[in-house]
Amino acid sequence: MATTKIIAICQSGGEFETHKDGSLSYTGGDAHAIDIDDQMKFNDFKVEVSEMFNCSIDTMSIKYFLPGNKKTLITVSNDKDLKRMIKFHGDSLTADVYIIMEDIVAPDVSNMPASRSSRTTLSEAVPPLDPPLDVVDNIVDNNTRPSHPLGASVDGVDHIDEHMDLPPDLLPILPLSVSYNEKHAIGAQQWQNMITGVGQRFSGVHEFRESLRKYAIAHQFAFRYKKNDSHRVTVKCKAEGCPWRIHASRLSTTQLICIKKMNPTHTCEGAALTTGHQATRSWVASIIKEKLKVFPNYKPKDIVNDIKQEYGIQLNYFQAWHRQKGLRESISEIFKGSYHGYCLRYLTEQLIRDLKGQFSHEVKRLMIEDLYAAALAPKPEGFQRSIESIKSISLEAYNWIIQSEPQNWANSFFQGARYNHVTSNFGGLFYSWASDANELPITQMVDLIRRKIMELIYTRRADCDQWLTRLTPSMEEKLEKESLKVRPLQVLLTSGSIFEVRGESIEVVDMDRWDCSCKSWQLTGLPCCHTIAVISCMGRSPYDYCSRYFTTESYRLTYAESVQPIPDVDKPLHKDSSQSLVTVTPPPTRRPPGRPTTKKVGSEEVMKRQLQCSRCKGLGHNKSTCKEIM
């Protein structure tokens, strides 16, 4: 079997720039070339690169672009990823590889390991290297259930006063059972002088609370609020009998908070006898935001490990996992270029519910058709025409649609890539499986869903093995339909990679940016007829300008892995086995009165058909209740 060889152009020390269309370019730094083939091991590749750039192998992240796509950075983290990179560049002599150096705070800090979930990352419009610096406060949700509730005692410690006016974002942190040492002081040393004493001023109570929290973490003691409102804060050490105390209040006619009284003396014995620490969502966010910029898949267990190693604070798993309240804002700030898309089906259902029964079935149907037309319109003028049609029917419906944030569901305003899918009905198949198994015991339900997934993967893998086309059959058909529209089009070169295409309309095609003014190319991921006309003049293949997600190769990779079979859980154990058979039964519940519901899991129908009288043809009643006089 022939060995695939390419030249890896390894670049380091530069930076990525994001353009308006979401594409990335790399500038600056140094570059070196390495010959690699599909027999090379990933660790050997990393060692050679580290020697070349004189850097640590543990602080290195390796990324590359797929051919023809400058929007997505792919991470190489194991042997399979390296082989895929070589395979993807098999038709080229070279491959650009980017070496990203990462800072490690402590030698044993757990960054993101190369686990299965952190392998090759494919996020179309989400470059993982250039997110903003700010992270929203709502990373840890205080509405989740921690392993110790707010009012509970932790390791025999006094419970928090239930009458205390706590800040809304305060969360308990479990105490460490180990003594405070230098390893745990590394991350918190910078906070030892956050509180200096009487006379120190802060911009407001929020800044004072955050400074106090960091000061307490650095000095390894816990505190409790005695008074806590918008203009005064009184805090004492939580250890019984310890005289440490601080009081701050607002300076008159200003928003400034000033420390008025402070007893800096502790008689408690520090971390050995203290009751733990208090931390907020904003504090945890400020700690992990730098790692999130480098590792978008930063796992909860890594957050727990890193916080413990660097600051001596033990978070539980759920405190680290629940980045829920404010999730939409967090995603938009951390992952620049990632956009939130609404499901049009659910949006339509909500519109019908809010309009209630003031419109007939036929009128609602017409408004829904106009709403879908507005969502699918590629340009703003098409969107406006459709919602103006709705406005002529109902001003209330028009105002509702305008206030529903069209930038999250209308093609003409949406800034991401949805490949012309405006609904999220891809989960319908799994919902139906869960509905069918709803009456089964939980173990049998899980087993049934597992078997369904096994069958689905096998069937789709068997189907795609028969495909001989470069794209999936449905995408091949769509591309062919677009190609049939090319003949009457006239192509004119304007400058560089920009072309003018004349037909029923005049469109501008920018080949470098993968952009056509008709917007079809951007919306569907397939070249439109105007683009295909330009590609033909250039003597190139339209396949080179299709989204990689539509290729047969990508489809096969999706279903390449299998769900492995498991032994029969219902098979009785051998008599000589020392284990006893365990039967899982449902929890004791009381059957509610009435007939059990058989409603399927999933969303409601968009509209229910209204009654129509066979006598007067009116809506809302039938013949027996008709008041029409014969």
Side-chain angles (χ1 to χ4, degrees):
M1 182 175 178
T3 301
T4 304
K5 296 182 178 181
I6 61 172
I7 300 174
I9 309 299
C10 301
Q11 305 176 56
S12 180
E15 60 182 14
F16 285 94
E17 295 181 359
T18 305
H19 302 290
K20 292 182 179 180
D21 63 343
S23 62
L24 299 172
S25 61
Y26 192 80
T27 58
D30 298 325
H32 296 277
I34 302 178
D35 291 324
I36 61 175
D37 57 42
D38 54 9
Q39 302 302 314
M40 175 173 274
K41 298 296 184 182
F42 176 64
N43 285 336
D44 296 338
F45 181 56
K46 287 189 71 174
V47 170
E48 189 166 349
V49 171
S50 66
E51 293 175 352
M52 178 180 297
F53 289 103
N54 193 24
C55 63
S56 171
I57 193 172
D58 297 324
T59 64
M60 180 192 307
S61 178
I62 301 175
K63 300 178 183 294
Y64 69 97
F65 286 117
L66 287 174
N69 187 330
K70 293 294 185 180
K71 295 184 178 181
T72 306
L73 279 167
I74 310 299
T75 301
V76 182
S77 57
N78 52 43
D79 290 338
K80 287 186 177 179
D81 290 345
L82 183 61
K83 287 185 177 180
R84 289 194 187 103
M85 184 189 78
I86 297 171
K87 182 179 180 180
F88 290 149
H89 292 83
D91 297 333
S92 304
L93 295 176
T94 63
D96 290 324
V97 179
Y98 306 98
I99 312 302
I100 312 301
M101 305 302 176
E102 301 146 4
D103 295 329
I104 295 183
V105 177
D108 53 357
V109 170
S110 171
N111 284 329
M112 190 175 67
S115 63
R116 188 175 192 85
S117 63
S118 64
R119 292 179 184 173
T120 306
T121 303
L122 302 175
S123 52
E124 180 65 33
V126 192
L129 294 176
D130 192 25
L133 294 176
D134 295 328
V135 177
V136 80
D137 283 353
N138 298 324
I139 287 186
V140 181
D141 183 11
N142 64 327
N143 292 324
T144 58
R145 297 181 181 178
S147 57
H148 295 272
L150 280 175
S153 174
V154 180
D155 291 346
V157 177
D158 294 342
H159 66 78
I160 298 175
D161 188 354
E162 62 185 9
H163 299 293
M164 191 186 310
D165 185 13
L166 287 174
D169 61 352
L170 202 59
L171 285 174
I173 301 298
L174 302 182
L176 279 176
S177 59
V178 297
S179 61
Y180 181 60
N181 54 39
E182 288 302 320
K183 182 172 71 172
H184 292 154
I186 292 175
Q189 285 177 350
Q190 57 183 324
W191 297 337
Q192 291 183 347
N193 296 319
M194 294 295 288
I195 300 295
T196 58
V198 175
Q200 184 180 4
R201 299 178 185 180
F202 304 86
S203 61
V205 289
H206 177 73
E207 182 186 353
F208 173 68
R209 291 184 192 126
E210 290 299 311
S211 299
L212 180 61
R213 227 167 261 127
K214 293 177 180 178
Y215 176 83
I217 291 170
H219 291 274
Q220 289 287 292
F221 72 94
F223 60 83
R224 80 170 46 173
Y225 288 95
K226 300 300 290 183
K227 294 180 182 178
N228 185 32
D229 53 41
S230 61
H231 61 279
R232 60 180 178 176
V233 180
T234 303
V235 178
K236 68 182 295 292
C237 179
K238 200 171 184 181
E240 189 67 29
C242 181
W244 187 93
R245 186 181 181 92
I246 190 170
H247 173 76
S249 60
R250 183 187 296 174
L251 295 176
S252 59
T253 70
T254 73
Q255 295 296 320
L256 297 178
I257 295 292
C258 179
I259 297 178
K260 302 293 182 64
K261 298 179 182 179
M262 181 177 179
N263 185 342
T265 304
H266 280 282
T267 59
C268 57
E269 298 183 14
L273 296 178
T274 53
T275 63
H277 314 291
Q278 295 167 322
T280 62
R281 299 189 303 271
S282 58
W283 180 81
V284 177
S286 66
I287 297 304
I288 69 172
K289 68 178 181 180
E290 295 301 326
K291 291 186 174 68
L292 277 174
K293 291 196 299 180
V294 180
F295 300 119
N297 295 330
Y298 196 32
K299 296 180 179 179
K301 68 177 182 180
D302 298 324
I303 296 175
V304 172
N305 291 337
D306 290 355
I307 293 293
K308 180 177 179 179
Q309 292 288 346
E310 297 175 38
Y311 301 96
I313 295 177
Q314 181 68 62
L315 298 176
N316 65 53
Y317 182 87
F318 294 101
Q319 287 172 322
W321 184 71
H322 281 289
R323 303 177 257 241
Q324 179 182 354
K325 191 175 182 181
L327 179 61
R328 187 177 69 177
E329 290 79 8
S330 301
I331 290 176
S332 63
E333 291 188 11
I334 297 174
F335 302 107
K336 194 173 183 180
S338 177
Y339 302 98
H340 190 79
Y342 294 164
C343 173
L344 194 60
R345 179 178 178 183
Y346 289 99
L347 189 75
T348 302
E349 291 173 358
Q350 188 62 49
L351 171 62
I352 296 303
R353 282 194 294 269
D354 290 348
L355 292 179
K356 298 178 181 179
Q358 56 182 301
F359 298 103
S360 68
H361 178 84
E362 183 66 16
V363 171
K364 289 179 180 178
R365 184 184 64 80
L366 292 174
M367 284 196 294
I368 290 173
E369 288 180 357
D370 288 334
L371 182 60
Y372 267 79
L376 294 171
K379 296 183 179 180
E381 49 266 31
F383 171 87
Q384 192 62 36
R385 282 194 300 269
S386 297
I387 63 170
E388 286 294 335
S389 179
I390 295 176
K391 186 177 182 180
S392 65
I393 300 174
S394 168
L395 182 60
E396 179 187 359
Y398 172 84
N399 291 331
W400 190 97
I401 292 170
I402 293 298
Q403 295 171 8
S404 66
E405 300 176 320
Q407 68 273 17
N408 292 321
W409 54 267
N411 279 342
S412 56
F413 301 110
F414 190 72
Q415 299 182 53
R418 298 186 71 174
Y419 300 97
N420 219 29
H421 286 278
V422 293
T423 62
S424 57
N425 58 356
F426 51 83
L429 184 61
F430 294 93
Y431 289 141
S432 66
W433 292 347
S435 298
D436 294 340
N438 193 42
E439 299 299 325
L440 297 176
I442 184 63
T443 53
Q444 296 180 29
M445 173 190 285
V446 172
D447 191 59
L448 177 109
I449 295 176
R450 177 189 63 82
R451 288 188 282 113
K452 292 282 191 181
I453 294 175
M454 285 181 64
E455 294 171 2
L456 176 71
I457 292 177
Y458 174 80
T459 301
R460 294 192 175 178
R461 183 167 59 233
D463 289 343
C464 67
D465 284 343
Q466 306 301 317
W467 297 346
L468 301 177
T469 54
R470 187 166 173 179
L471 302 182
T472 63
S474 60
M475 293 299 111
E476 283 282 353
E477 183 179 354
K478 291 181 179 179
L479 187 62
E480 184 178 354
K481 288 182 178 179
E482 285 297 313
S483 300
L484 296 176
K485 305 175 185 177
V486 170
R487 180 168 296 179
L489 300 179
Q490 181 183 10
V491 178
L492 301 175
L493 174 63
T494 56
S495 63
S497 63
I498 300 177
F499 297 81
E500 179 181 297
V501 182
R502 291 177 172 267
E504 294 182 357
S505 61
I506 300 177
E507 306 294 347
V508 177
V509 178
D510 188 332
M511 297 302 295
D512 284 348
R513 295 179 177 272
W514 286 40
D515 179 89
C516 178
S517 59
C518 76
K519 300 301 180 185
S520 178
W521 192 7
Q522 301 93 298
L523 291 175
T524 64
L526 290 175
C528 59
C529 60
H530 313 103
T531 305
I532 296 175
V534 174
I535 293 172
S536 299
C537 292
M538 296 172 63
R540 303 292 298 274
S541 170
Y543 294 112
D544 296 334
Y545 297 90
C546 297
S547 170
R548 70 182 186 280
Y549 298 127
F550 298 151
T551 63
T552 299
E553 180 65 22
S554 293
Y555 192 97
R556 287 173 179 161
L557 284 174
T558 302
Y559 298 101
E561 302 291 338
S562 299
V563 177
Q564 299 300 321
I566 61 174
D568 190 350
V569 294
D570 295 327
K571 185 177 181 179
L573 298 175
H574 296 294
K575 293 183 179 180
D576 58 349
S577 176
S578 60
Q579 299 181 5
S580 59
L581 190 63
V582 178
T583 302
V584 180
T585 58
T589 57
R590 184 177 180 181
R591 183 182 181 277
R595 179 179 296 177
T597 61
T598 57
K599 183 178 179 180
K600 297 288 186 180
V601 177
S603 61
E604 302 176 9
E605 291 298 323
V606 173
M607 291 184 298
K608 293 182 178 179
R609 183 176 179 83
Q610 289 185 334
L611 292 174
Q612 185 175 24
C613 179
S614 60
R615 176 182 296 170
C616 69
K617 306 303 180 184
L619 298 175
H621 65 276
N622 56 24
K623 180 179 179 180
S624 62
T625 58
C626 183
K627 298 180 181 180
E628 186 76 16
I629 301 176
M630 296 296 292

